[in-house]
């Protein structure tokens, strides 16, 4: 292998490792450990805690959705992506470390919500610029596999951090470092661990991954030019009609995926009487199969195309989600549930690859900002529909059927989007 090839591989692996770093925040803080700690130990009322948590994450999503395309447009004017990733990552790392000061008392509810809001905004914005680096780093022939491998690394990193958190700090009789269980220090220490994990595994990206050169345009001028460029893109939306159609399709099936993760544990507990530990084990299993799917389907992305990979994944999601809702025996719930995970990773990784392939070179940050918008703008719809249909029909199975409908609609819209090579805007 030539030195140039080695350097390129090192650059790409360092880029992919950021997925491993960043995912710890979503897995440990947003999903499993801190979310549970906040509701049970800080708010001490799971109903009120769920409401406050949902509103905070939702508010962060609204801010990201509104501002991401504009911030991306500014970054397009300035050239480099690493400084943006660094500052937003630092924002998330500091907020996560600050969660150590959230003690098990209702007096710390506001502090917890503010820090989670800041951490969510920082982590999500860092991902926008991280994703936008892909077209500059990987060749068209290998873009799909690197996106898939990185996504798989993300699932693995989140789970690895969760395992360390559970079996070194949380689920032990005698916590290390003399941590006081009465003050939940053994749980709070995991938040510091996530901050260190995120910072440590982000370093290779900043040290070894190539970046675009600085354009020399000042921030004030870049903001003005970026705003003008964004308005021009909106005015010329017909030029980007296939990208818009793809973003609509993605908006629908990502909403369905988010609903799967939001209600999967609730469905397992309500319909199959899963205990909290069993729900956690199911969540871990789902993440494992999602990571494996992202890695295995990465080759398919390069061979058959991102659109085809997404369509095949959506067919898999439609079949397995339907299976989960139809079966009555526990063993088949586990089978369909874990197989479902195989198709979760590929549809997300292929979405990133598709956007990387269709984005004009001078608008990549803006386009990934729009992709972030598509993932947030209707994120409330799936959970809202499931909640109301479950209430009206008095059945979790009927309520959860909304997810299948969303997957079918997303598939139908995506079916009329061409492969990336034909969807790329003509100059």
């Amino acid at each position: 292998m030539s030195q140039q090839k080695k350097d390129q591989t090192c650059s790409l692996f360092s880029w992919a490792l950021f997925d491993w770093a960043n995912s710890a925040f979503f897995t440990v803080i947003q999903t499993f450990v801190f979310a549970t700690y906040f509701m049970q130990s800080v708010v001490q009322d799971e109903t009120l805690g769920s409401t406050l948590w949902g509103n905070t994450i939702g508010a962060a999503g609204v801010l990201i959705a509104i501002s991401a395309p504009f911030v991306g447009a500014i970054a397009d004017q300035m050239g480099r992506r690493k400084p943006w990733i660094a500052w937003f990552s630092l924002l998330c790392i500091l907020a996560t470390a600050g969660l150590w000061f959230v003690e098990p008392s209702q007096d710390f509810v506001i502090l917890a919500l503010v820090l989670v809001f800041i951490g969510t905004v920082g982590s999500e914005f860092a991902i926008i610029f991280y994703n936008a680096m892909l077209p500059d780093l990987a060749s068209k022939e290998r873009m799909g596999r690197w996106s898939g491998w990185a996504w798989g690394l993300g699932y693995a990193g989140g789970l690895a951090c969760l395992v360390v958190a559970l079996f070194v700090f949380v689920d032990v009789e005698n916590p290390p470092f003399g941590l006081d269980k009465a003050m939940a220090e053994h749980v709070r220490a995991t938040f510091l661990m996530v901050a260190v994990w995120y910072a440590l595994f982000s370093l290779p990206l900043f040290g070894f991954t190539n970046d675009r050169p600085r354009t020399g345009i000042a921030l004030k001028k870049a903001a003005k030019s970026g705003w003008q460029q964004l308005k021009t893109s909106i005015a010329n939306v017909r030029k980007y009609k296939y990208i818009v159609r793809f973003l609509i399709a993605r908006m629908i099936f990502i909403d369905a995926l988010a609903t799967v993760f939001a209600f999967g544990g609730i469905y397992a507990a309500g319909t199959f009487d899963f205990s909290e530990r069993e729900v956690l084990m199911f969540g871990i299993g789902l993440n494992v199969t999602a990571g494996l799917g992202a890695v295995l389907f990465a080759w398919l992305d390069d061979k058959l195309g991102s659109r085809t990979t997404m369509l095949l994944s959506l067919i898999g999601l439609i079949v397995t989600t339907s299976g989960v809702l139809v079966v009555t025996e526990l063993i088949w719930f586990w089978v369909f549930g874990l197989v479902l995970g195989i198709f979760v990773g590929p549809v997300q990784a292929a979405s990133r690859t598709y956007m990387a392939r269709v984005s004009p070179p001078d608008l990549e940050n803006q386009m990934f900002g729009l992709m972030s918008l598509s993932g947030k703008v209707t994120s409330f719809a799936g959970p809202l529909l499931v909640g109301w249909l479950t209430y009206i029909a008095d059945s979790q199975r009927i309520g959860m059927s909304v997810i299948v409908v969303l997957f079918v609609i997303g598939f139908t819209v995506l079916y009329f989007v061409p492969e990336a090579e034909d969807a790329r805007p003509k100059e």
Side-chain angles (χ1 to χ4, degrees):
M1 183 185 293
S2 67
Q3 187 59 44
Q4 184 180 4
K5 191 81 171 175
K6 287 180 182 178
D7 291 344
Q8 185 184 25
T9 302
C10 179
S11 178
L12 274 161
F13 179 74
S14 299
W15 171 83
L17 202 59
F18 187 81
D19 249 316
W20 170 287
N22 181 280
S23 294
F25 174 81
F26 295 101
T27 305
V28 177
I29 304 301
Q30 274 200 4
T31 307
F32 292 114
V33 182
F34 184 78
T36 303
Y37 170 74
F38 174 75
M39 284 181 266
Q40 294 179 348
S41 302
V42 182
V43 181
Q44 299 168 21
D45 180 332
E46 293 201 14
T47 302
L48 176 60
S50 297
T51 301
L52 292 173
W53 185 265
N55 289 342
T56 301
I57 299 298
V62 170
L63 176 62
I64 294 160
I66 292 171
S67 56
F70 175 55
V71 174
I74 296 173
D76 281 325
Q77 300 295 316
M78 298 180 74
R80 298 181 67 203
R81 278 73 174 266
K82 281 187 188 180
W84 295 88
I85 298 172
W87 283 112
F88 282 119
S89 294
L90 183 62
L91 193 66
C92 179
I93 290 165
L94 292 176
T96 303
L99 293 174
W100 160 263
F101 298 103
V102 177
E103 297 179 12
S105 164
Q106 294 178 344
D107 294 337
F108 295 88
V109 169
I110 300 300
L111 176 62
L113 294 175
V114 169
L115 290 173
V116 167
F117 179 89
I118 293 170
T120 300
V121 170
S123 60
E124 291 278 8
F125 267 111
I127 289 173
I128 293 171
F129 299 103
Y130 162 74
N131 286 341
M133 295 181 80
L134 180 59
D136 291 342
L137 299 173
S139 64
K140 288 183 180 180
E141 295 76 21
R142 298 176 66 84
M143 202 179 289
R145 71 194 71 179
W146 275 106
S147 180
W149 292 342
W151 213 280
L153 263 179
Y155 280 112
L159 283 174
C161 190
L162 179 63
V163 167
V164 174
L166 287 176
F167 297 110
V168 175
F169 294 99
V170 178
D171 200 17
V172 292
E173 193 169 331
N174 298 307
F177 313 119
L179 295 168
D180 184 2
K181 272 193 167 185
M183 290 299 293
E185 288 183 352
H186 63 308
V187 177
R188 289 154 55 199
T190 64
F191 314 147
L192 290 174
M193 186 193 75
V194 171
V196 172
W197 182 287
Y198 193 158
L200 181 64
F201 289 110
S202 295
L203 292 177
L205 180 139
F206 300 109
F208 303 107
T209 301
N210 299 324
D211 197 3
R212 283 185 173 180
R214 190 190 305 275
T215 61
I217 299 175
L219 180 60
K220 186 176 180 180
K221 185 177 179 182
K224 186 177 180 180
S225 300
W227 178 247
Q228 187 58 49
Q229 178 59 66
L230 186 58
K231 288 197 297 184
T232 301
S233 297
I234 294 170
N236 296 327
V237 69
R238 282 181 168 274
K239 183 178 178 181
Y240 309 109
K241 62 178 180 179
Y242 292 128
I243 295 178
V244 172
R245 198 176 297 172
F246 159 68
L247 289 175
I248 292 171
R250 183 181 180 276
M251 176 180 70
I252 296 167
F253 65 70
I254 288 296
D255 194 12
L257 278 181
T259 310
V260 167
F261 281 98
F263 283 87
I266 296 170
Y267 179 77
T271 303
F272 290 93
D273 296 321
F274 271 37
S275 65
E276 287 184 8
R277 190 173 184 85
E278 287 173 323
V279 169
L280 179 61
M281 294 304 295
F282 180 69
I284 290 173
L286 195 63
N287 276 272
V288 168
T289 55
L292 290 173
V295 172
L296 294 173
F297 273 64
W299 302 93
L300 200 64
D301 192 338
D302 285 330
K303 191 170 183 64
L304 299 181
S306 306
R307 169 184 173 273
T308 302
T309 303
M310 286 186 283
L311 289 173
L312 291 174
S313 298
L314 286 170
I315 291 172
L317 287 167
I318 291 166
V319 171
T320 52
T321 306
S322 299
V324 164
L325 298 180
V326 169
V327 298
T328 56
E329 293 183 26
L330 183 60
I331 182 65
W332 287 111
F333 173 81
W334 275 98
V335 169
F336 277 106
L338 293 180
V339 173
L340 181 153
I342 292 174
F343 303 102
V344 169
V347 77
Q348 293 172 303
S351 295
R352 174 164 64 188
T353 313
Y354 189 91
M355 181 55 81
R357 285 174 170 151
V358 299
S359 296
D362 58 335
L363 299 177
E364 283 162 350
N365 295 311
Q366 182 187 135
M367 290 298 169
F368 276 100
L370 288 169
M371 192 169 91
S372 179
L373 168 65
S374 77
K376 302 291 181 188
V377 70
T378 61
S379 58
F380 64 89
L384 190 67
L385 288 170
V386 168
W388 275 106
L389 190 56
T390 300
Y391 175 76
I392 292 168
D394 194 25
S395 167
Q396 279 190 314
R397 292 181 189 275
I398 294 175
M400 293 283 282
S401 66
V402 167
I403 296 170
V404 179
V405 174
L406 289 173
F407 279 137
V408 171
I409 295 172
F411 175 91
T412 304
V413 176
L414 185 64
Y415 184 81
F416 294 98
V417 176
E419 272 294 355
E421 291 72 19
D422 298 320
R424 194 179 181 96
K426 300 295 186 292
E427 297 300 329

